[in-house]
Amino acid sequence: MFDFVRSHTRLLQFLLVLLIFPSFVFFGVQGYSSFVDGSNKTLAEVDGVAIKSGEFDATHKQQVERMTQQMPGVDVKLLDTPQMRQRSLDGLVQQRVLAAASAKDHLLVSDARLKRLFVNDPQYAQLRHPDGSVNAEMLAAQGMSSEVFAERLRQDYMLRQVLGGVGDSSFAPAAVSAAAVSALLERREIAVQRLDAKDYLAKVQPSDADIEAWYKAHPALYKTPESAQIEYVVLDLDTLKKQIALGDEDLKKYYEENASRYTAAEERRASHILINAPKEAPAAEREKAKAKAQALLDQARKNPAGFADLAKKNSEDPGSAVQGGDLDFFGKGAMTKPFEDAVFAMKEGEIVGPIETEFGYHLIKLTGVRGGSKKPFEAVRAEIVEEVGRQMAQKKFAEAAEQFGNMVYEQSDSLQPVVDKLRLTLATAAVGREPAPGASGPLASPKLLAAVFGNEVLNNKRNTEAIETAANQLVSARIVKHQPEVLLPLEAVKDRVLQRVRAEQAAAAARKDGQARVESLKAKPGDPVGPTVAVSRTQAAGQARQVLEVALRADLGKGPTVVGADLGEQGYAVVQVLKVVDRGANDPDVPRAQPFVAQALAEAETLAYYEALKRRFKTRIVEAPASAASAVK
């Protein structure tokens, strides 16, 4: 099944777009007239309307910000590759195409239908109150009013129904579905002869010219990475806490004001004997129960040590009777009020009763008391220092952060002024454009390193702006010394180059012999070259992906055949495809595969319809979106 997925990457990418599209529209759709500026480059056109680079940049930035919020540890650079930017452009184009189709075909969503869809869509469950109304507080937290949300939701459903109708109504004839299932599950018997590149290493002898040619063709492999010596300064809560002096008077005041935090809650352990007497019982019955409780109380007081035995024989609370009436330790709020009041007014060892509750009459013996004592100041002093220091640092941080940001910007030729003003520490480090393995703290921040190697800092030797590298943490850095990437001389890397050339030549030799072997075997394609094995798209049987691809594509119309599979640096494989293996009439994989095939066919039909819409609205990509780095240049 994984090979089927791999073979239909484009189709499944389209499915991914459909799956993420609602959230993309919900959070990212701007008015189509916004960001349109004649000075921007035109990246694409849909229905005669241009998609400008300004609009694309804003949309792509929103996508990156959302993804970094969802995956805080992700490297931002991975979200700004040419492939990711192209996907963002494709998504924007799709919005335009679907919006044009929705408008031209009058696919409107009425207020009543919008409300019904919102109430029943699980995607928006967190934005609904239990009665189905909009949670305005949740919307406000996302910076939206109910009106803005309703309009975006309406647009979302309008665009979804353009393609939804095609996918939901898709129907594949039985013959088509059966053929697709058969192709997916088809098994073939093959024999494979591998010619491994490693077996040819001893046979190849690269010349100096070969080595030099490879070196010149692959300079990026032999460059020292770009690096910089930087100095940087960090403003965070830990730094500010160290600057705060706290006297015992302040700490003791905080201790007294928050005494409850340093006092263990009192808990009491009690045993009881219950004589049932529901409140709705007749008065005479209740009096009888009370009298029985009183008689048991007299016995308990005469022999306090026998309370447990008395409870086992007489208590009508089945849960505690077997334990001698023991209820273990409990705090306030755990028991019914009259029972609790009595227990917390008793002395240890005391027996009281009868205590009336909604359950009947209780005889209670207090067997233990713990907690309720206040921890001494010295025992919690360090905890108070940490708490008070953190609170004071938090208050101080807002003011210090503003000063920090202003100073590193206004006095951008040095970090010393902000170090002196805010009593910070100037640190140094060697960094590259990517965080070093094992890096932590600010030096692990891709955002900071991107700023360090930005044009303004790199070329003009200025401070970076104040970069937020963590919660309540600001950093500014500047380059002291820059070391650009340098191509190492051939002599320094000759051994490494030789290994790569030998590997390439060995793979080429294996490929040449393999291709010759294929040609020689075509005269007798039915004679296996080795053990046979049955393979399919769902059962690789240990064969390489390239082997499966050529084996399952091979034409068996004229009987067994021989094909070659290029294994790249691993070598070459000669593949004899002998026959299709009969799966039997009751193959259990068929019913499991049918839903996947039906879904794939529906997706293919949806994709075909979308491609038709693109042609209908004269959609074209004018220019690939430039990366952020190239845009700066």
mmCIF file of all heavy atoms in Angstrom, residues 397-443:
data_model
loop_
_atom_site.group_PDB
_atom_site.id
_atom_site.type_symbol
_atom_site.label_atom_id
_atom_site.label_comp_id
_atom_site.label_asym_id
_atom_site.label_seq_id
_atom_site.Cartn_x
_atom_site.Cartn_y
_atom_site.Cartn_z
ATOM 1 N N PHE A 397 10.787 43.567 34.038
ATOM 2 C CA PHE A 397 11.167 43.155 32.695
ATOM 3 C C PHE A 397 10.551 44.051 31.628
ATOM 4 O O PHE A 397 11.217 44.390 30.632
ATOM 5 C CB PHE A 397 10.747 41.701 32.451
ATOM 6 C CG PHE A 397 11.160 41.172 31.105
ATOM 7 C CD1 PHE A 397 12.451 40.747 30.870
ATOM 8 C CD2 PHE A 397 10.263 41.137 30.050
ATOM 9 C CE1 PHE A 397 12.848 40.270 29.633
ATOM 10 C CE2 PHE A 397 10.641 40.661 28.801
ATOM 11 C CZ PHE A 397 11.940 40.233 28.601
ATOM 12 N N ALA A 398 9.289 44.424 31.779
ATOM 13 C CA ALA A 398 8.625 45.226 30.753
ATOM 14 C C ALA A 398 9.370 46.533 30.506
ATOM 15 O O ALA A 398 9.628 46.919 29.356
ATOM 16 C CB ALA A 398 7.180 45.506 31.163
ATOM 17 N N GLU A 399 9.732 47.207 31.583
ATOM 18 C CA GLU A 399 10.470 48.473 31.446
ATOM 19 C C GLU A 399 11.862 48.225 30.877
ATOM 20 O O GLU A 399 12.320 48.944 29.977
ATOM 21 C CB GLU A 399 10.573 49.160 32.804
ATOM 22 C CG GLU A 399 11.358 50.467 32.767
ATOM 23 C CD GLU A 399 11.541 51.086 34.147
ATOM 24 O OE1 GLU A 399 10.917 50.585 35.110
ATOM 25 O OE2 GLU A 399 12.301 52.056 34.252
ATOM 26 N N ALA A 400 12.555 47.205 31.394
ATOM 27 C CA ALA A 400 13.910 46.912 30.932
ATOM 28 C C ALA A 400 13.911 46.496 29.465
ATOM 29 O O ALA A 400 14.833 46.832 28.712
ATOM 30 C CB ALA A 400 14.531 45.817 31.794
ATOM 31 N N ALA A 401 12.872 45.755 29.048
ATOM 32 C CA ALA A 401 12.800 45.302 27.657
ATOM 33 C C ALA A 401 12.703 46.478 26.700
ATOM 34 O O ALA A 401 13.320 46.481 25.619
ATOM 35 C CB ALA A 401 11.597 44.374 27.479
ATOM 36 N N GLU A 402 11.931 47.483 27.074
ATOM 37 C CA GLU A 402 11.810 48.663 26.215
ATOM 38 C C GLU A 402 13.151 49.385 26.109
ATOM 39 O O GLU A 402 13.568 49.794 25.017
ATOM 40 C CB GLU A 402 10.739 49.602 26.771
ATOM 41 C CG GLU A 402 10.507 50.812 25.886
ATOM 42 C CD GLU A 402 9.385 51.705 26.402
ATOM 43 O OE1 GLU A 402 8.802 51.382 27.450
ATOM 44 O OE2 GLU A 402 9.108 52.728 25.754
ATOM 45 N N GLN A 403 13.836 49.544 27.236
ATOM 46 C CA GLN A 403 15.151 50.179 27.219
ATOM 47 C C GLN A 403 16.132 49.360 26.377
ATOM 48 O O GLN A 403 16.902 49.917 25.590
ATOM 49 C CB GLN A 403 15.693 50.307 28.657
ATOM 50 C CG GLN A 403 14.993 51.370 29.500
ATOM 51 C CD GLN A 403 15.630 51.453 30.882
ATOM 52 O OE1 GLN A 403 15.670 50.477 31.616
ATOM 53 N NE2 GLN A 403 16.146 52.613 31.220
ATOM 54 N N PHE A 404 16.101 48.073 26.559
ATOM 55 C CA PHE A 404 16.998 47.174 25.825
ATOM 56 C C PHE A 404 16.800 47.335 24.322
ATOM 57 O O PHE A 404 17.769 47.539 23.568
ATOM 58 C CB PHE A 404 16.708 45.732 26.257
ATOM 59 C CG PHE A 404 17.617 44.707 25.652
ATOM 60 C CD1 PHE A 404 18.783 44.322 26.281
ATOM 61 C CD2 PHE A 404 17.302 44.103 24.437
ATOM 62 C CE1 PHE A 404 19.622 43.363 25.733
ATOM 63 C CE2 PHE A 404 18.127 43.139 23.871
ATOM 64 C CZ PHE A 404 19.295 42.779 24.526
ATOM 65 N N GLY A 405 15.539 47.251 23.872
ATOM 66 C CA GLY A 405 15.260 47.367 22.442
ATOM 67 C C GLY A 405 15.680 48.704 21.875
ATOM 68 O O GLY A 405 16.246 48.776 20.772
ATOM 69 N N ASN A 406 15.415 49.776 22.614
ATOM 70 C CA ASN A 406 15.774 51.120 22.127
ATOM 71 C C ASN A 406 17.282 51.300 22.037
ATOM 72 O O ASN A 406 17.803 51.833 21.049
ATOM 73 C CB ASN A 406 15.176 52.184 23.047
ATOM 74 C CG ASN A 406 13.661 52.259 22.929
ATOM 75 O OD1 ASN A 406 13.085 51.831 21.922
ATOM 76 N ND2 ASN A 406 13.006 52.803 23.938
ATOM 77 N N MET A 407 17.999 50.835 23.049
ATOM 78 C CA MET A 407 19.442 51.088 23.088
ATOM 79 C C MET A 407 20.206 50.293 22.033
ATOM 80 O O MET A 407 21.129 50.818 21.404
ATOM 81 C CB MET A 407 19.989 50.784 24.486
ATOM 82 C CG MET A 407 19.513 51.767 25.551
ATOM 83 S SD MET A 407 20.359 51.554 27.127
ATOM 84 C CE MET A 407 21.980 52.203 26.719
ATOM 85 N N VAL A 408 19.855 49.024 21.835
ATOM 86 C CA VAL A 408 20.599 48.246 20.839
ATOM 87 C C VAL A 408 20.312 48.765 19.431
ATOM 88 O O VAL A 408 21.130 48.572 18.516
ATOM 89 C CB VAL A 408 20.280 46.739 20.929
ATOM 90 C CG1 VAL A 408 20.676 46.199 22.301
ATOM 91 C CG2 VAL A 408 18.823 46.431 20.625
ATOM 92 N N TYR A 409 19.186 49.437 19.254
ATOM 93 C CA TYR A 409 18.860 50.000 17.941
ATOM 94 C C TYR A 409 19.482 51.380 17.769
ATOM 95 O O TYR A 409 20.102 51.679 16.738
ATOM 96 C CB TYR A 409 17.340 50.082 17.784
ATOM 97 C CG TYR A 409 16.909 50.749 16.497
ATOM 98 C CD1 TYR A 409 16.975 50.068 15.282
ATOM 99 C CD2 TYR A 409 16.457 52.067 16.488
ATOM 100 C CE1 TYR A 409 16.598 50.667 14.099
ATOM 101 C CE2 TYR A 409 16.069 52.691 15.313
ATOM 102 C CZ TYR A 409 16.144 51.988 14.116
ATOM 103 O OH TYR A 409 15.763 52.589 12.952
ATOM 104 N N GLU A 410 19.329 52.232 18.781
ATOM 105 C CA GLU A 410 19.797 53.615 18.658
ATOM 106 C C GLU A 410 21.317 53.717 18.751
ATOM 107 O O GLU A 410 21.919 54.617 18.158
ATOM 108 C CB GLU A 410 19.137 54.471 19.736
ATOM 109 C CG GLU A 410 17.622 54.612 19.545
ATOM 110 C CD GLU A 410 16.936 55.231 20.741
ATOM 111 O OE1 GLU A 410 17.641 55.502 21.759
ATOM 112 O OE2 GLU A 410 15.710 55.437 20.688
ATOM 113 N N GLN A 411 21.943 52.834 19.506
ATOM 114 C CA GLN A 411 23.411 52.823 19.606
ATOM 115 C C GLN A 411 23.912 51.511 19.003
ATOM 116 O O GLN A 411 24.503 50.669 19.674
ATOM 117 C CB GLN A 411 23.837 52.959 21.066
ATOM 118 C CG GLN A 411 23.283 54.241 21.703
ATOM 119 C CD GLN A 411 23.755 54.433 23.132
ATOM 120 O OE1 GLN A 411 24.954 54.382 23.411
ATOM 121 N NE2 GLN A 411 22.813 54.660 24.031
ATOM 122 N N SER A 412 23.670 51.381 17.715
ATOM 123 C CA SER A 412 23.836 50.094 17.036
ATOM 124 C C SER A 412 25.280 49.719 16.742
ATOM 125 O O SER A 412 25.540 48.638 16.221
ATOM 126 C CB SER A 412 23.049 50.104 15.717
ATOM 127 O OG SER A 412 23.523 51.137 14.865
ATOM 128 N N ASP A 413 26.243 50.583 17.076
ATOM 129 C CA ASP A 413 27.642 50.257 16.794
ATOM 130 C C ASP A 413 28.329 49.554 17.958
ATOM 131 O O ASP A 413 29.511 49.225 17.887
ATOM 132 C CB ASP A 413 28.417 51.515 16.415
ATOM 133 C CG ASP A 413 28.348 52.573 17.502
ATOM 134 O OD1 ASP A 413 27.496 52.455 18.407
ATOM 135 O OD2 ASP A 413 29.146 53.527 17.436
ATOM 136 N N SER A 414 27.589 49.319 19.060
ATOM 137 C CA SER A 414 28.191 48.646 20.208
ATOM 138 C C SER A 414 27.098 48.139 21.142
ATOM 139 O O SER A 414 26.029 48.736 21.254
ATOM 140 C CB SER A 414 29.103 49.611 20.971
ATOM 141 O OG SER A 414 29.579 49.003 22.156
ATOM 142 N N LEU A 415 27.402 47.043 21.834
ATOM 143 C CA LEU A 415 26.485 46.516 22.847
ATOM 144 C C LEU A 415 26.861 46.982 24.249
ATOM 145 O O LEU A 415 26.109 46.748 25.203
ATOM 146 C CB LEU A 415 26.498 44.977 22.818
ATOM 147 C CG LEU A 415 25.883 44.316 21.583
ATOM 148 C CD1 LEU A 415 26.138 42.810 21.617
ATOM 149 C CD2 LEU A 415 24.388 44.588 21.506
ATOM 150 N N GLN A 416 28.005 47.644 24.371
ATOM 151 C CA GLN A 416 28.481 48.031 25.690
ATOM 152 C C GLN A 416 27.536 48.995 26.410
ATOM 153 O O GLN A 416 27.336 48.862 27.630
ATOM 154 C CB GLN A 416 29.879 48.650 25.583
ATOM 155 C CG GLN A 416 30.621 48.730 26.910
ATOM 156 C CD GLN A 416 30.820 47.363 27.545
ATOM 157 O OE1 GLN A 416 31.233 46.419 26.883
ATOM 158 N NE2 GLN A 416 30.505 47.252 28.834
ATOM 159 N N PRO A 417 26.933 49.974 25.710
ATOM 160 C CA PRO A 417 26.023 50.873 26.423
ATOM 161 C C PRO A 417 24.869 50.146 27.112
ATOM 162 O O PRO A 417 24.528 50.455 28.261
ATOM 163 C CB PRO A 417 25.518 51.805 25.313
ATOM 164 C CG PRO A 417 26.624 51.825 24.309
ATOM 165 C CD PRO A 417 27.173 50.437 24.327
ATOM 166 N N VAL A 418 24.264 49.164 26.456
ATOM 167 C CA VAL A 418 23.140 48.459 27.079
ATOM 168 C C VAL A 418 23.637 47.541 28.191
ATOM 169 O O VAL A 418 22.946 47.325 29.194
ATOM 170 C CB VAL A 418 22.330 47.671 26.031
ATOM 171 C CG1 VAL A 418 23.039 46.403 25.586
ATOM 172 C CG2 VAL A 418 20.939 47.338 26.563
ATOM 173 N N VAL A 419 24.858 47.014 28.036
ATOM 174 C CA VAL A 419 25.455 46.206 29.104
ATOM 175 C C VAL A 419 25.631 47.043 30.355
ATOM 176 O O VAL A 419 25.290 46.621 31.474
ATOM 177 C CB VAL A 419 26.804 45.614 28.641
ATOM 178 C CG1 VAL A 419 27.560 44.999 29.819
ATOM 179 C CG2 VAL A 419 26.578 44.565 27.562
ATOM 180 N N ASP A 420 26.179 48.259 30.190
ATOM 181 C CA ASP A 420 26.418 49.131 31.337
ATOM 182 C C ASP A 420 25.117 49.629 31.958
ATOM 183 O O ASP A 420 24.962 49.664 33.181
ATOM 184 C CB ASP A 420 27.276 50.323 30.916
ATOM 185 C CG ASP A 420 28.665 49.900 30.464
ATOM 186 O OD1 ASP A 420 29.107 48.800 30.853
ATOM 187 O OD2 ASP A 420 29.304 50.659 29.701
ATOM 188 N N LYS A 421 24.163 50.015 31.113
ATOM 189 C CA LYS A 421 22.912 50.595 31.604
ATOM 190 C C LYS A 421 22.084 49.588 32.396
ATOM 191 O O LYS A 421 21.559 49.903 33.478
ATOM 192 C CB LYS A 421 22.103 51.110 30.410
ATOM 193 C CG LYS A 421 20.742 51.684 30.766
ATOM 194 C CD LYS A 421 20.848 52.984 31.524
ATOM 195 C CE LYS A 421 19.475 53.615 31.766
ATOM 196 N NZ LYS A 421 19.563 54.871 32.519
ATOM 197 N N LEU A 422 21.969 48.377 31.881
ATOM 198 C CA LEU A 422 21.093 47.388 32.509
ATOM 199 C C LEU A 422 21.852 46.335 33.311
ATOM 200 O O LEU A 422 21.266 45.368 33.771
ATOM 201 C CB LEU A 422 20.231 46.695 31.436
ATOM 202 C CG LEU A 422 19.302 47.619 30.636
ATOM 203 C CD1 LEU A 422 18.535 46.825 29.587
ATOM 204 C CD2 LEU A 422 18.326 48.332 31.563
ATOM 205 N N ARG A 423 23.163 46.539 33.467
ATOM 206 C CA ARG A 423 24.004 45.631 34.259
ATOM 207 C C ARG A 423 23.898 44.190 33.746
ATOM 208 O O ARG A 423 23.632 43.251 34.482
ATOM 209 C CB ARG A 423 23.636 45.699 35.746
ATOM 210 C CG ARG A 423 23.989 47.041 36.397
ATOM 211 C CD ARG A 423 23.731 46.991 37.874
ATOM 212 N NE ARG A 423 22.301 46.951 38.176
ATOM 213 C CZ ARG A 423 21.782 46.506 39.316
ATOM 214 N NH1 ARG A 423 22.588 46.050 40.258
ATOM 215 N NH2 ARG A 423 20.487 46.512 39.518
ATOM 216 N N LEU A 424 24.135 44.053 32.454
ATOM 217 C CA LEU A 424 24.068 42.756 31.813
ATOM 218 C C LEU A 424 25.468 42.211 31.564
ATOM 219 O O LEU A 424 26.464 42.892 31.823
ATOM 220 C CB LEU A 424 23.290 42.867 30.489
ATOM 221 C CG LEU A 424 21.878 43.445 30.603
ATOM 222 C CD1 LEU A 424 21.245 43.587 29.224
ATOM 223 C CD2 LEU A 424 21.006 42.599 31.515
ATOM 224 N N THR A 425 25.549 41.008 31.043
ATOM 225 C CA THR A 425 26.835 40.360 30.777
ATOM 226 C C THR A 425 27.042 40.241 29.278
ATOM 227 O O THR A 425 26.153 39.774 28.552
ATOM 228 C CB THR A 425 26.880 38.964 31.410
ATOM 229 O OG1 THR A 425 26.698 39.089 32.826
ATOM 230 C CG2 THR A 425 28.212 38.282 31.129
ATOM 231 N N LEU A 426 28.206 40.649 28.809
ATOM 232 C CA LEU A 426 28.551 40.526 27.400
ATOM 233 C C LEU A 426 29.220 39.174 27.187
ATOM 234 O O LEU A 426 30.255 38.881 27.789
ATOM 235 C CB LEU A 426 29.488 41.652 26.972
ATOM 236 C CG LEU A 426 29.752 41.779 25.475
ATOM 237 C CD1 LEU A 426 28.471 42.132 24.726
ATOM 238 C CD2 LEU A 426 30.827 42.836 25.218
ATOM 239 N N ALA A 427 28.608 38.336 26.352
ATOM 240 C CA ALA A 427 29.136 36.997 26.099
ATOM 241 C C ALA A 427 29.639 36.903 24.666
ATOM 242 O O ALA A 427 29.285 37.720 23.811
ATOM 243 C CB ALA A 427 28.052 35.948 26.341
ATOM 244 N N THR A 428 30.472 35.909 24.400
ATOM 245 C CA THR A 428 30.995 35.691 23.052
ATOM 246 C C THR A 428 30.749 34.240 22.647
ATOM 247 O O THR A 428 30.614 33.351 23.495
ATOM 248 C CB THR A 428 32.507 35.989 22.970
ATOM 249 O OG1 THR A 428 33.193 35.126 23.877
ATOM 250 C CG2 THR A 428 32.781 37.440 23.329
ATOM 251 N N ALA A 429 30.727 34.011 21.335
ATOM 252 C CA ALA A 429 30.508 32.653 20.833
ATOM 253 C C ALA A 429 30.878 32.597 19.360
ATOM 254 O O ALA A 429 30.927 33.629 18.671
ATOM 255 C CB ALA A 429 29.057 32.222 21.028
ATOM 256 N N ALA A 430 31.142 31.389 18.890
ATOM 257 C CA ALA A 430 31.337 31.140 17.458
ATOM 258 C C ALA A 430 30.066 30.465 16.949
ATOM 259 O O ALA A 430 29.611 29.478 17.523
ATOM 260 C CB ALA A 430 32.542 30.245 17.226
ATOM 261 N N VAL A 431 29.478 31.007 15.889
ATOM 262 C CA VAL A 431 28.209 30.482 15.384
ATOM 263 C C VAL A 431 28.252 30.355 13.865
ATOM 264 O O VAL A 431 29.081 30.971 13.195
ATOM 265 C CB VAL A 431 27.020 31.397 15.774
ATOM 266 C CG1 VAL A 431 26.875 31.484 17.281
ATOM 267 C CG2 VAL A 431 27.185 32.799 15.169
ATOM 268 N N GLY A 432 27.351 29.523 13.360
ATOM 269 C CA GLY A 432 27.133 29.406 11.922
ATOM 270 C C GLY A 432 25.707 29.811 11.603
ATOM 271 O O GLY A 432 24.959 30.244 12.480
ATOM 272 N N ARG A 433 25.339 29.654 10.356
ATOM 273 C CA ARG A 433 23.978 30.030 9.959
ATOM 274 C C ARG A 433 22.929 29.082 10.547
ATOM 275 O O ARG A 433 21.773 29.444 10.653
ATOM 276 C CB ARG A 433 23.851 30.063 8.440
ATOM 277 C CG ARG A 433 24.519 31.271 7.801
ATOM 278 C CD ARG A 433 24.281 31.331 6.310
ATOM 279 N NE ARG A 433 24.871 32.532 5.717
ATOM 280 C CZ ARG A 433 24.217 33.666 5.510
ATOM 281 N NH1 ARG A 433 22.954 33.756 5.859
ATOM 282 N NH2 ARG A 433 24.827 34.698 4.952
ATOM 283 N N GLU A 434 23.346 27.865 10.910
ATOM 284 C CA GLU A 434 22.450 26.905 11.529
ATOM 285 C C GLU A 434 22.902 26.663 12.965
ATOM 286 O O GLU A 434 24.095 26.729 13.260
ATOM 287 C CB GLU A 434 22.461 25.579 10.756
ATOM 288 C CG GLU A 434 22.105 25.695 9.286
ATOM 289 C CD GLU A 434 20.659 26.099 9.077
ATOM 290 O OE1 GLU A 434 19.845 25.859 9.988
ATOM 291 O OE2 GLU A 434 20.355 26.663 8.005
ATOM 292 N N PRO A 435 21.964 26.376 13.881
ATOM 293 C CA PRO A 435 22.366 26.060 15.261
ATOM 294 C C PRO A 435 23.309 24.873 15.285
ATOM 295 O O PRO A 435 23.113 23.885 14.573
ATOM 296 C CB PRO A 435 21.030 25.730 15.947
ATOM 297 C CG PRO A 435 19.982 26.427 15.135
ATOM 298 C CD PRO A 435 20.487 26.379 13.718
ATOM 299 N N ALA A 436 24.349 24.958 16.091
ATOM 300 C CA ALA A 436 25.312 23.865 16.208
ATOM 301 C C ALA A 436 24.656 22.682 16.922
ATOM 302 O O ALA A 436 23.751 22.869 17.734
ATOM 303 C CB ALA A 436 26.540 24.336 16.983
ATOM 304 N N PRO A 437 25.087 21.451 16.624
ATOM 305 C CA PRO A 437 24.548 20.288 17.333
ATOM 306 C C PRO A 437 24.722 20.453 18.839
ATOM 307 O O PRO A 437 25.799 20.799 19.323
ATOM 308 C CB PRO A 437 25.388 19.114 16.803
ATOM 309 C CG PRO A 437 25.871 19.592 15.454
ATOM 310 C CD PRO A 437 26.081 21.064 15.602
ATOM 311 N N GLY A 438 23.652 20.249 19.585
ATOM 312 C CA GLY A 438 23.714 20.368 21.037
ATOM 313 C C GLY A 438 23.607 21.786 21.548
ATOM 314 O O GLY A 438 23.687 22.011 22.759
ATOM 315 N N ALA A 439 23.431 22.761 20.653
ATOM 316 C CA ALA A 439 23.311 24.156 21.097
ATOM 317 C C ALA A 439 22.061 24.325 21.944
ATOM 318 O O ALA A 439 21.053 23.661 21.732
ATOM 319 C CB ALA A 439 23.257 25.083 19.887
ATOM 320 N N SER A 440 22.126 25.219 22.902
ATOM 321 C CA SER A 440 20.980 25.488 23.766
ATOM 322 C C SER A 440 20.883 26.985 24.015
ATOM 323 O O SER A 440 21.810 27.747 23.715
ATOM 324 C CB SER A 440 21.108 24.730 25.091
ATOM 325 O OG SER A 440 22.279 25.144 25.785
ATOM 326 N N GLY A 441 19.760 27.400 24.576
ATOM 327 C CA GLY A 441 19.579 28.810 24.881
ATOM 328 C C GLY A 441 19.493 29.649 23.617
ATOM 329 O O GLY A 441 19.107 29.168 22.544
ATOM 330 N N PRO A 442 19.879 30.914 23.699
ATOM 331 C CA PRO A 442 19.771 31.817 22.544
ATOM 332 C C PRO A 442 20.522 31.326 21.308
ATOM 333 O O PRO A 442 20.088 31.549 20.185
ATOM 334 C CB PRO A 442 20.361 33.128 23.069
ATOM 335 C CG PRO A 442 20.192 33.069 24.537
ATOM 336 C CD PRO A 442 20.346 31.623 24.907
ATOM 337 N N LEU A 443 21.644 30.638 21.499
ATOM 338 C CA LEU A 443 22.448 30.189 20.364
ATOM 339 C C LEU A 443 21.777 29.056 19.589
ATOM 340 O O LEU A 443 22.248 28.681 18.516
ATOM 341 C CB LEU A 443 23.837 29.746 20.830
ATOM 342 C CG LEU A 443 24.680 30.837 21.505
ATOM 343 C CD1 LEU A 443 26.043 30.290 21.881
ATOM 344 C CD2 LEU A 443 24.817 32.069 20.611
#
